[in-house]
Amino acid sequence: MYTEKRRLTSQDVKRISIIANIIIISLFIVLLFLFWNIQILKNQHYAKLATGNVRKEIIIKAPRGMILDRNHERLSENKISFNLVLIPDYTENLNRAIDTAARLTGMTKKEVNDTIEKYKDFSKSYAIPLKKDLTLAKAIYIESRADELPGFEINIEPVRDYPYEGMASHILGYISELTPRELEKKMTEGYRLGDVIGKSGVERTYEQKLRGVDGAKNVEKDNLGKIRVVLGEAQPTIGNTVVLTIDMELQKFIEEIFKEYNGAIGVVDLKTGGILAMVSTPNFNPEFFSGVMEKTQWEALVNDPAKPLQNKFVQSLYLPGSTFKVVMALAALQENIIQFSTTSLCSGVIDIYDRQFHCWNRGGHGNMDLYEAIANSCNIYFYRLGKRMDIDTIAQYAKMMGLGQPTGIDLPNEKAGIFPTRAWKLKTLKQKWFAGDTVSVAIGGGLIQVTPAQILSMISAVALRGRTPQLHLVKQIEKDGLVIEEFQPQFREVPISRENFEIVIEGLYRVVNENGTGKAGKIESLDICGKTGTQLILSLENPRYEQLVKQKRFTPHSWFASFAPRYNPEVAMVVFIENGGEAGAVAVPIAKKIYQKIFNRQ
């Protein structure tokens, strides 16, 4: 039953010995070949890979240039931010690193993972930014435990700081990290993932002036990612300084008296076209975007019905209301349709094209000439004027005065607005123009859409008797304290006679100084000239007007476009208040306070 044990013969031993020797020699030949291949044939290849693993270029972020007001007061500057980054190449276990990052930052694991996913197409040696603006204590904690946290580093970079927080936010704008889509377009300009860029305001318009030139440090790192040798270093270059035309003292004053309202105010230096103050309310704090914005903060901004991120001065469109009567008067005078002495009887209502049109003064103004019609903002006078004029002629003068087109101010995303013509209505609405449409346009209604910036441009042209200044916000660009670029005032001539401007200006003078609709703005010895506009949300013909207008959302918008003084004017101003009510009672007194501040008149 037992298997017989076989004895190895000398021949068996010899055969096994030969086979074993062959195997050993074969293995030795293979190892020799591999060694020769690595050390000789591919020496340069592996040497290059090895060098790449330890030699790194560390980007040193350049500070952005400062933004100053006209008196060199700092409106935006830089502060140091401690940022946590993760280098996947130096992590022992990525899942464990994600857990650690969540613990260090307070982020969820999903948020950390989603951040890492954004960089999946980049080299594993790329420093992925996980959390910006860490506290100093947290940065020290992480740095002091570098051996326990492989793959994690603290990067130090300059970030934007706004000393006045939300003040002038729509002028300054904000900066934020490039999105992947933005980066695709900007990589050829030297931008990298994780870089910030101006997204609105001056920060965006003058991005290339404010953006500095990054520096770099070439280093050798060990297998744990720690710097052992600095091979070379190029220092970053700070961006240029942008000096604005804004007077921050005036800006602060206006923001304080206007903080309870939603709307926009613009004040321009008529000698240069430089904006002295520009307010859009509500505003926002641009520092929210420079650091780490909480989700609740972002949602509050974008969902706010008052639209704090929208610059109402250049981006919101409204009917101009009775401020448009200035253009109607100039067009009718220039076309010889009326003279200043042309009178019209206002009884409070008029029948035109089988429809009743009402004056805001239901009792009527009686018989009045052009001066009185402007001073009292008589709708009936201008309804009759609209009946006598062609819409395309009116549109021609509206565009001459800067309405329905961008002003060209140095801010991004300025809206053009609309000034309708026959061709425009047919193309856009597929409808022909009716004579009744012109009657509505004559008092600033109908299909017109303008921005407060356009109304400021219009009243500036009136103040200068036909010279429209180019509105702008930047006075000069400086480098190392020296002016390298300077804005030169530019003016566009309007082909309307000076005599006709003087006629309209007489009416505007009476608006404020002779018991007109802007009498609340009168300041002794200043001679303010202006035009009110109470733009109705509901038509006066609405049978429920008196009842509905008591609701805030149906309360009229308030306009006051003005300049001072009458002769040799220095400043022009527009005040616009959403649902502000009667312009003479709301917008005009605000303008008066601003004029008192500018001219030191009480």
Side-chain angles (χ1 to χ4, degrees):
M1 296 296 294
Y2 295 99
T3 302
E4 183 180 355
K5 293 182 179 179
R6 181 182 175 187
R7 293 176 178 269
L8 292 176
T9 65
S10 60
Q11 290 182 334
D12 291 333
V13 172
K14 184 176 180 181
R15 185 170 61 251
I16 291 171
S17 176
I18 292 172
I19 292 172
N21 286 333
I22 292 172
I23 292 173
I24 292 171
I25 292 170
S26 298
L27 288 174
F28 179 78
I29 291 172
V30 169
L31 289 173
L32 184 64
F33 173 78
L34 291 174
F35 178 79
W36 180 74
N37 182 58
I38 292 172
Q39 293 294 318
I40 307 299
L41 293 182
K42 295 187 177 180
N43 176 270
Q44 291 185 340
H45 171 72
Y46 287 109
K48 185 176 180 181
L49 288 179
T51 302
N53 285 335
V54 296
R55 289 186 180 181
K56 300 295 177 184
E57 181 183 64
I58 299 173
I59 300 300
I60 306 173
K61 298 291 186 182
R64 288 175 76 82
M66 294 186 295
I67 302 177
L68 313 177
D69 85 336
R70 66 191 297 116
N71 300 310
H72 281 69
E73 187 167 349
R74 293 187 181 187
L75 306 184
S76 73
E77 49 190 3
N78 301 296
K79 65 179 181 181
I80 293 299
S81 175
F82 298 100
N83 305 328
L84 178 64
V85 301
L86 173 67
I87 303 175
D89 249 355
Y90 299 145
T91 59
E92 297 171 354
N93 182 304
L94 188 57
N95 288 329
R96 190 181 306 156
I98 291 173
D99 292 341
T100 302
R103 176 173 57 82
L104 291 172
T105 64
M107 300 166 69
T108 65
K109 293 180 183 179
K110 182 180 185 307
E111 288 172 334
V112 175
N113 190 64
D114 288 348
T115 302
I116 294 172
E117 275 294 302
K118 283 170 51 180
Y119 300 84
K120 63 182 180 182
D121 295 329
F122 280 67
S123 164
K124 296 297 183 183
S125 63
Y126 193 91
I128 299 174
L130 293 180
K131 187 80 170 180
K132 294 188 175 183
D133 207 18
L134 296 175
T135 64
L136 177 60
K138 176 70 76 171
I140 292 172
Y141 173 85
I142 294 171
E143 279 290 285
S144 65
R145 288 163 174 75
D147 292 340
E148 304 170 22
L149 302 170
F152 291 97
E153 290 183 4
I154 295 294
N155 279 357
I156 301 175
E157 70 175 14
V159 296
R160 223 39 167 170
D161 181 47
Y162 300 91
Y164 290 101
E165 296 182 341
M167 283 193 177
S169 58
H170 288 99
I171 297 171
L172 301 172
Y174 67 90
I175 62 172
S176 187
E177 186 176 331
L178 283 160
T179 64
R181 180 174 295 180
E182 289 171 329
L183 182 62
E184 287 179 14
K185 300 176 181 178
K186 292 290 184 180
M187 285 187 73
T188 56
E189 298 176 32
Y191 288 90
R192 303 175 180 86
L193 195 58
D195 282 354
V196 296
I197 192 171
K199 295 292 183 77
S200 72
V202 169
E203 292 278 22
R204 175 170 172 176
T205 302
Y206 292 91
E207 165 69 17
Q208 295 307 314
K209 305 291 185 185
L210 291 164
R211 179 190 177 204
V213 179
D214 289 344
K217 182 187 292 186
N218 292 304
V219 301
E220 281 191 1
K221 293 187 175 184
D222 61 18
N223 62 341
L224 295 177
K226 303 305 171 188
I227 296 174
R228 297 306 179 195
V229 180
V230 176
L231 303 174
E233 185 172 354
Q235 291 299 319
T237 303
I238 189 171
N240 296 328
T241 296
V242 173
V243 182
L244 304 182
T245 59
I246 295 297
D247 183 326
M248 197 56 190
E249 183 181 348
L250 180 62
Q251 180 79 19
K252 288 187 287 185
F253 175 82
I254 295 175
E255 295 214 21
E256 179 60 30
I257 66 173
F258 202 60
K259 63 184 179 182
E260 302 300 325
Y261 301 97
N262 286 345
I265 293 177
V267 183
V268 63
D269 177 353
L270 290 172
K271 291 181 174 60
T272 65
I275 299 293
L276 297 173
M278 190 207 81
V279 176
S280 175
T281 53
N283 56 20
F284 63 92
N285 189 342
E287 284 193 20
F288 287 164
F289 300 89
S290 296
V292 179
M293 178 180 281
E294 299 295 333
K295 184 179 179 182
T296 53
Q297 291 175 321
W298 172 248
E299 290 176 346
L301 280 173
V302 297
N303 296 325
D304 189 332
K307 300 180 180 179
L309 292 179
Q310 187 173 72
N311 184 345
K312 293 181 171 65
F313 185 68
V314 295
Q315 294 175 335
S316 293
L317 297 171
Y318 309 94
L319 289 165
S322 291
T323 62
F324 185 67
K325 291 171 183 174
V326 172
V327 176
M328 284 297 296
L330 287 167
L333 287 166
Q334 189 71 16
E335 293 294 314
N336 295 314
I337 293 171
I338 62 169
Q339 295 162 358
F340 69 86
S341 57
T342 301
T343 60
S344 180
L345 177 64
C346 173
S347 61
V349 64
I350 187 174
D351 289 317
I352 302 178
Y353 307 124
D354 299 322
R355 178 184 167 191
Q356 282 195 333
F357 291 86
H358 291 85
C359 187
W360 67 267
N361 182 352
R362 295 301 183 105
H365 290 106
N367 201 44
M368 57 182 55
D369 61 17
L370 180 60
Y371 296 143
E372 296 165 323
I374 294 174
N376 293 284
S377 197
C378 178
N379 288 351
I380 300 300
Y381 192 101
F382 287 92
Y383 280 140
R384 284 200 176 101
L385 202 53
K387 186 179 178 183
R388 298 175 63 186
M389 296 185 69
D390 180 79
I391 184 58
D392 290 340
T393 300
I394 296 171
Q396 177 187 350
Y397 281 91
K399 295 204 178 230
M400 281 183 196
M401 298 299 290
L403 303 184
Q405 58 193 354
T407 66
I409 191 171
D410 43 350
L411 284 172
N413 302 319
E414 181 184 12
K415 293 289 183 65
I418 296 170
F419 201 92
T421 61
R422 281 187 175 81
W424 176 88
K425 187 179 181 186
L426 188 61
K427 179 180 179 181
T428 308
L429 303 180
K430 312 301 180 188
Q431 298 173 5
K432 69 176 184 177
W433 190 269
F434 297 101
D437 296 336
T438 310
V439 176
S440 296
V441 165
I443 64 163
L447 297 169
I448 309 173
Q449 289 190 328
V450 300
T451 64
Q454 291 171 15
I455 296 297
L456 180 60
S457 183
M458 177 204 74
I459 201 66
S460 298
V462 174
L464 296 175
R465 281 70 171 172
R467 295 181 71 229
T468 305
Q470 174 59 62
L471 304 181
H472 64 279
L473 281 159
V474 169
K475 180 182 178 184
Q476 60 198 34
I477 309 294
E478 296 179 355
K479 183 73 173 178
D480 299 326
L482 300 175
V483 177
I484 58 174
E485 291 182 44
E486 190 169 11
F487 181 92
Q488 298 301 320
Q490 300 173 24
F491 296 86
R492 176 177 57 83
E493 297 294 331
V494 178
I496 297 175
S497 73
R498 186 181 181 93
E499 179 185 1
N500 289 331
F501 276 110
E502 293 292 358
I503 291 171
V504 172
I505 288 170
E506 172 63 26
L508 299 178
Y509 172 82
R510 296 186 186 190
V511 168
V512 179
N513 300 282
E514 294 188 8
N515 208 35
T517 55
K519 61 186 177 182
K522 183 175 181 179
I523 298 175
E524 292 296 335
S525 73
L526 185 54
D527 293 349
I528 297 170
C529 302
K531 184 69 192 76
T532 57
T534 303
Q535 177 53 50
L536 302 180
I537 307 299
L538 297 171
S539 169
L540 287 171
E541 285 74 42
N542 189 312
R544 299 182 61 205
Y545 176 82
E546 295 297 337
Q547 177 185 353
L548 292 174
V549 79
K550 295 176 183 178
Q551 299 179 35
K552 181 68 175 177
R553 63 194 177 110
F554 294 125
T555 303
H557 297 323
S558 303
W559 287 99
F560 186 51
S562 59
F563 62 89
R566 176 175 180 174
Y567 300 107
N568 299 314
E570 297 179 32
V571 297
M573 184 189 313
V574 63
V575 176
F576 173 78
I577 306 170
E578 290 182 343
N579 307 114
E582 185 65 41
V586 183
V588 173
I590 290 173
K592 179 179 180 178
K593 291 178 181 178
I594 298 170
Y595 280 119
Q596 287 173 326
K597 173 69 174 176
I598 293 171
F599 292 98
N600 295 314
R601 307 282 178 87
Q602 298 301 323

